[in-house]
mmCIF file of all heavy atoms in Angstrom:
data_model
loop_
_atom_site.group_PDB
_atom_site.id
_atom_site.type_symbol
_atom_site.label_atom_id
_atom_site.label_comp_id
_atom_site.label_asym_id
_atom_site.label_seq_id
_atom_site.Cartn_x
_atom_site.Cartn_y
_atom_site.Cartn_z
ATOM 1 N N GLY A 169 140.777 69.488 97.376
ATOM 2 C CA GLY A 169 139.700 70.233 96.904
ATOM 3 C C GLY A 169 139.976 71.688 96.611
ATOM 4 O O GLY A 169 141.111 72.140 97.037
ATOM 5 N N PRO A 170 139.083 72.415 95.925
ATOM 6 C CA PRO A 170 139.259 73.814 95.579
ATOM 7 C C PRO A 170 139.327 74.668 96.953
ATOM 8 O O PRO A 170 138.721 74.325 97.888
ATOM 9 C CB PRO A 170 138.163 74.292 94.679
ATOM 10 C CG PRO A 170 137.154 73.259 95.021
ATOM 11 C CD PRO A 170 137.791 71.956 95.399
ATOM 12 N N ASN A 171 140.132 75.780 96.864
ATOM 13 C CA ASN A 171 140.156 76.777 97.969
ATOM 14 C C ASN A 171 141.120 76.314 99.185
ATOM 15 O O ASN A 171 141.513 77.116 99.936
ATOM 16 C CB ASN A 171 138.796 77.182 98.506
ATOM 17 C CG ASN A 171 137.881 77.686 97.344
ATOM 18 O OD1 ASN A 171 138.314 78.426 96.532
ATOM 19 N ND2 ASN A 171 136.698 77.159 97.328
ATOM 20 N N VAL A 172 141.246 75.087 99.380
ATOM 21 C CA VAL A 172 142.092 74.607 100.510
ATOM 22 C C VAL A 172 143.579 74.517 100.092
ATOM 23 O O VAL A 172 143.973 74.350 98.977
ATOM 24 C CB VAL A 172 141.646 73.204 101.069
ATOM 25 C CG1 VAL A 172 142.012 72.095 100.073
ATOM 26 C CG2 VAL A 172 142.224 72.917 102.457
ATOM 27 N N THR A 173 144.459 74.912 101.147
ATOM 28 C CA THR A 173 145.935 74.812 100.949
ATOM 29 C C THR A 173 146.489 73.586 101.789
ATOM 30 O O THR A 173 146.209 73.549 102.957
ATOM 31 C CB THR A 173 146.560 76.097 101.293
ATOM 32 O OG1 THR A 173 146.053 77.110 100.422
ATOM 33 C CG2 THR A 173 148.113 75.962 101.152
ATOM 34 N N VAL A 174 147.207 72.803 101.092
ATOM 35 C CA VAL A 174 147.791 71.646 101.755
ATOM 36 C C VAL A 174 149.277 71.630 101.487
ATOM 37 O O VAL A 174 149.719 71.574 100.342
ATOM 38 C CB VAL A 174 147.185 70.244 101.193
ATOM 39 C CG1 VAL A 174 147.901 69.092 101.851
ATOM 40 C CG2 VAL A 174 145.693 70.243 101.552
ATOM 41 N N GLY A 175 150.054 71.705 102.612
ATOM 42 C CA GLY A 175 151.444 71.625 102.493
ATOM 43 C C GLY A 175 152.026 70.278 102.993
ATOM 44 O O GLY A 175 151.497 69.739 103.986
ATOM 45 N N CYS A 176 153.233 69.837 102.444
ATOM 46 C CA CYS A 176 153.826 68.641 102.850
ATOM 47 C C CYS A 176 155.299 68.582 102.401
ATOM 48 O O CYS A 176 155.743 69.511 101.712
ATOM 49 C CB CYS A 176 153.099 67.492 102.240
ATOM 50 S SG CYS A 176 153.185 67.325 100.439
ATOM 51 N N THR A 177 156.058 67.648 102.908
ATOM 52 C CA THR A 177 157.435 67.503 102.471
ATOM 53 C C THR A 177 157.430 66.895 101.026
ATOM 54 O O THR A 177 158.103 67.335 100.166
ATOM 55 C CB THR A 177 158.139 66.662 103.377
ATOM 56 O OG1 THR A 177 158.246 67.228 104.735
ATOM 57 C CG2 THR A 177 159.692 66.406 102.916
ATOM 58 N N GLN A 178 156.664 65.859 100.872
ATOM 59 C CA GLN A 178 156.580 65.256 99.588
ATOM 60 C C GLN A 178 155.217 64.293 99.532
ATOM 61 O O GLN A 178 154.625 64.079 100.604
ATOM 62 C CB GLN A 178 157.725 64.488 99.165
ATOM 63 C CG GLN A 178 158.073 63.319 100.147
ATOM 64 C CD GLN A 178 159.521 62.760 99.919
ATOM 65 O OE1 GLN A 178 160.218 63.217 99.173
ATOM 66 N NE2 GLN A 178 159.864 61.812 100.725
ATOM 67 N N VAL A 179 154.857 63.924 98.313
ATOM 68 C CA VAL A 179 153.789 62.958 98.144
ATOM 69 C C VAL A 179 154.419 61.633 97.911
ATOM 70 O O VAL A 179 155.234 61.419 97.023
ATOM 71 C CB VAL A 179 152.868 63.401 97.028
ATOM 72 C CG1 VAL A 179 151.684 62.339 96.918
ATOM 73 C CG2 VAL A 179 152.341 64.764 97.221
ATOM 74 N N GLN A 180 153.896 60.616 98.746
ATOM 75 C CA GLN A 180 154.607 59.259 98.581
ATOM 76 C C GLN A 180 153.621 58.061 98.445
ATOM 77 O O GLN A 180 152.433 58.202 98.919
ATOM 78 C CB GLN A 180 155.523 59.057 99.767
ATOM 79 C CG GLN A 180 154.774 58.640 101.048
ATOM 80 C CD GLN A 180 155.711 58.106 102.097
ATOM 81 O OE1 GLN A 180 156.335 58.875 102.817
ATOM 82 N NE2 GLN A 180 155.765 56.796 102.220
ATOM 83 N N ILE A 181 154.093 57.021 97.923
ATOM 84 C CA ILE A 181 153.221 55.775 97.843
ATOM 85 C C ILE A 181 153.351 55.093 99.161
ATOM 86 O O ILE A 181 154.492 55.001 99.771
ATOM 87 C CB ILE A 181 153.801 54.911 96.743
ATOM 88 C CG1 ILE A 181 153.575 55.540 95.290
ATOM 89 C CG2 ILE A 181 153.230 53.393 96.853
ATOM 90 C CD1 ILE A 181 154.213 54.741 94.101
ATOM 91 N N GLY A 182 152.206 54.708 99.808
ATOM 92 C CA GLY A 182 152.196 54.070 101.045
ATOM 93 C C GLY A 182 152.056 52.454 100.826
ATOM 94 O O GLY A 182 152.826 51.915 100.034
ATOM 95 N N THR A 183 150.918 51.988 101.422
ATOM 96 C CA THR A 183 150.875 50.501 101.358
ATOM 97 C C THR A 183 150.204 50.108 100.078
ATOM 98 O O THR A 183 149.649 50.906 99.330
ATOM 99 C CB THR A 183 149.882 50.041 102.544
ATOM 100 O OG1 THR A 183 148.600 50.744 102.342
ATOM 101 C CG2 THR A 183 150.560 50.357 103.851
ATOM 102 N N GLY A 184 150.304 48.772 99.723
ATOM 103 C CA GLY A 184 149.704 48.231 98.645
ATOM 104 C C GLY A 184 150.847 47.659 97.605
ATOM 105 O O GLY A 184 151.976 48.107 97.683
ATOM 106 N N ASN A 185 150.438 46.835 96.682
ATOM 107 C CA ASN A 185 151.307 46.490 95.644
ATOM 108 C C ASN A 185 150.837 46.826 94.340
ATOM 109 O O ASN A 185 151.174 47.863 93.758
ATOM 110 C CB ASN A 185 151.641 45.053 95.738
ATOM 111 C CG ASN A 185 150.387 44.135 95.915
ATOM 112 O OD1 ASN A 185 149.297 44.564 95.698
ATOM 113 N ND2 ASN A 185 150.514 42.832 96.428
ATOM 114 N N ASN A 186 149.968 46.012 93.677
ATOM 115 C CA ASN A 186 149.455 46.258 92.362
ATOM 116 C C ASN A 186 148.305 47.364 92.488
ATOM 117 O O ASN A 186 147.902 47.761 93.588
ATOM 118 C CB ASN A 186 148.875 45.020 91.696
ATOM 119 C CG ASN A 186 149.879 44.013 91.490
ATOM 120 O OD1 ASN A 186 151.022 44.359 91.147
ATOM 121 N ND2 ASN A 186 149.585 42.760 91.667
ATOM 122 N N GLY A 187 147.869 47.854 91.188
ATOM 123 C CA GLY A 187 146.899 48.870 91.238
ATOM 124 C C GLY A 187 147.489 50.340 90.993
ATOM 125 O O GLY A 187 148.438 50.352 90.267
ATOM 126 N N SER A 188 146.775 51.318 91.511
ATOM 127 C CA SER A 188 147.354 52.596 91.300
ATOM 128 C C SER A 188 147.239 53.606 92.520
ATOM 129 O O SER A 188 146.408 53.336 93.395
ATOM 130 C CB SER A 188 146.472 53.257 90.164
ATOM 131 O OG SER A 188 145.138 53.346 90.418
ATOM 132 N N TRP A 189 148.053 54.518 92.502
ATOM 133 C CA TRP A 189 148.086 55.492 93.572
ATOM 134 C C TRP A 189 147.951 56.891 92.831
ATOM 135 O O TRP A 189 148.772 57.161 91.884
ATOM 136 C CB TRP A 189 149.466 55.570 94.341
ATOM 137 C CG TRP A 189 149.716 54.171 95.095
ATOM 138 C CD1 TRP A 189 149.502 53.922 96.359
ATOM 139 C CD2 TRP A 189 150.186 52.990 94.572
ATOM 140 N NE1 TRP A 189 149.870 52.725 96.723
ATOM 141 C CE2 TRP A 189 150.282 52.096 95.603
ATOM 142 C CE3 TRP A 189 150.556 52.581 93.236
ATOM 143 C CZ2 TRP A 189 150.733 50.778 95.483
ATOM 144 C CZ3 TRP A 189 151.055 51.270 93.066
ATOM 145 C CH2 TRP A 189 151.054 50.377 94.193
ATOM 146 N N ASN A 190 146.993 57.781 93.355
ATOM 147 C CA ASN A 190 146.721 58.952 92.520
ATOM 148 C C ASN A 190 146.549 60.124 93.494
ATOM 149 O O ASN A 190 146.083 59.954 94.670
ATOM 150 C CB ASN A 190 145.389 58.722 91.810
ATOM 151 C CG ASN A 190 145.435 57.591 90.849
ATOM 152 O OD1 ASN A 190 146.217 57.515 89.842
ATOM 153 N ND2 ASN A 190 144.711 56.526 91.233
ATOM 154 N N ILE A 191 146.870 61.303 92.977
ATOM 155 C CA ILE A 191 146.605 62.546 93.658
ATOM 156 C C ILE A 191 145.948 63.481 92.684
ATOM 157 O O ILE A 191 146.471 63.696 91.549
ATOM 158 C CB ILE A 191 147.740 63.198 94.372
ATOM 159 C CG1 ILE A 191 147.310 64.461 95.187
ATOM 160 C CG2 ILE A 191 148.907 63.527 93.454
ATOM 161 C CD1 ILE A 191 148.409 64.871 96.212
ATOM 162 N N THR A 192 144.869 64.113 93.060
ATOM 163 C CA THR A 192 144.144 65.139 92.240
ATOM 164 C C THR A 192 144.206 66.488 92.970
ATOM 165 O O THR A 192 143.739 66.516 94.158
ATOM 166 C CB THR A 192 142.768 64.826 91.969
ATOM 167 O OG1 THR A 192 142.710 63.517 91.093
ATOM 168 C CG2 THR A 192 142.013 65.800 91.036
ATOM 169 N N VAL A 193 144.673 67.508 92.315
ATOM 170 C CA VAL A 193 144.771 68.765 92.912
ATOM 171 C C VAL A 193 143.833 69.764 92.317
ATOM 172 O O VAL A 193 143.952 70.013 91.073
ATOM 173 C CB VAL A 193 146.198 69.423 92.874
ATOM 174 C CG1 VAL A 193 146.237 70.712 93.534
ATOM 175 C CG2 VAL A 193 147.188 68.364 93.525
ATOM 176 N N ASN A 194 142.897 70.248 93.068
ATOM 177 C CA ASN A 194 141.932 71.342 92.611
ATOM 178 C C ASN A 194 142.251 72.723 93.292
ATOM 179 O O ASN A 194 141.978 73.696 92.804
ATOM 180 C CB ASN A 194 140.562 70.953 92.826
ATOM 181 C CG ASN A 194 140.100 69.766 92.108
ATOM 182 O OD1 ASN A 194 140.233 69.677 90.887
ATOM 183 N ND2 ASN A 194 139.750 68.606 92.820
ATOM 184 N N GLY A 195 142.858 72.543 94.480
ATOM 185 C CA GLY A 195 143.308 73.744 95.294
ATOM 186 C C GLY A 195 144.759 74.008 95.105
ATOM 187 O O GLY A 195 145.252 74.211 94.105
ATOM 188 N N LYS A 196 145.404 74.165 96.279
ATOM 189 C CA LYS A 196 146.840 74.440 96.414
ATOM 190 C C LYS A 196 147.579 73.394 97.075
ATOM 191 O O LYS A 196 147.357 72.985 98.289
ATOM 192 C CB LYS A 196 147.128 75.780 96.988
ATOM 193 C CG LYS A 196 148.550 76.187 97.064
ATOM 194 C CD LYS A 196 148.661 77.683 97.486
ATOM 195 C CE LYS A 196 150.080 78.231 97.397
ATOM 196 N NZ LYS A 196 150.275 79.592 97.903
ATOM 197 N N LEU A 197 148.621 72.812 96.475
ATOM 198 C CA LEU A 197 149.602 71.872 97.126
ATOM 199 C C LEU A 197 150.882 72.355 97.231
ATOM 200 O O LEU A 197 151.519 72.912 96.161
ATOM 201 C CB LEU A 197 149.672 70.552 96.219
ATOM 202 C CG LEU A 197 150.701 69.605 96.507
ATOM 203 C CD1 LEU A 197 150.417 69.026 97.990
ATOM 204 C CD2 LEU A 197 150.831 68.434 95.541
ATOM 205 N N ILE A 198 151.449 72.525 98.442
ATOM 206 C CA ILE A 198 152.830 73.068 98.639
ATOM 207 C C ILE A 198 153.758 71.904 98.949
ATOM 208 O O ILE A 198 153.460 71.051 99.811
ATOM 209 C CB ILE A 198 152.722 73.956 99.908
ATOM 210 C CG1 ILE A 198 151.867 75.248 99.500
ATOM 211 C CG2 ILE A 198 154.161 74.551 100.188
ATOM 212 C CD1 ILE A 198 151.621 76.231 100.736
#
Side-chain angles (χ1 to χ4, degrees):
N171 304 316
V172 72
T173 297
V174 178
C176 67
T177 299
Q178 57 194 5
V179 180
Q180 77 168 82
I181 292 172
T183 59
N185 46 20
N186 298 325
S188 62
W189 297 260
N190 304 290
I191 185 166
T192 297
V193 181
N194 298 299
K196 185 175 185 179
L197 170 64
I198 300 175

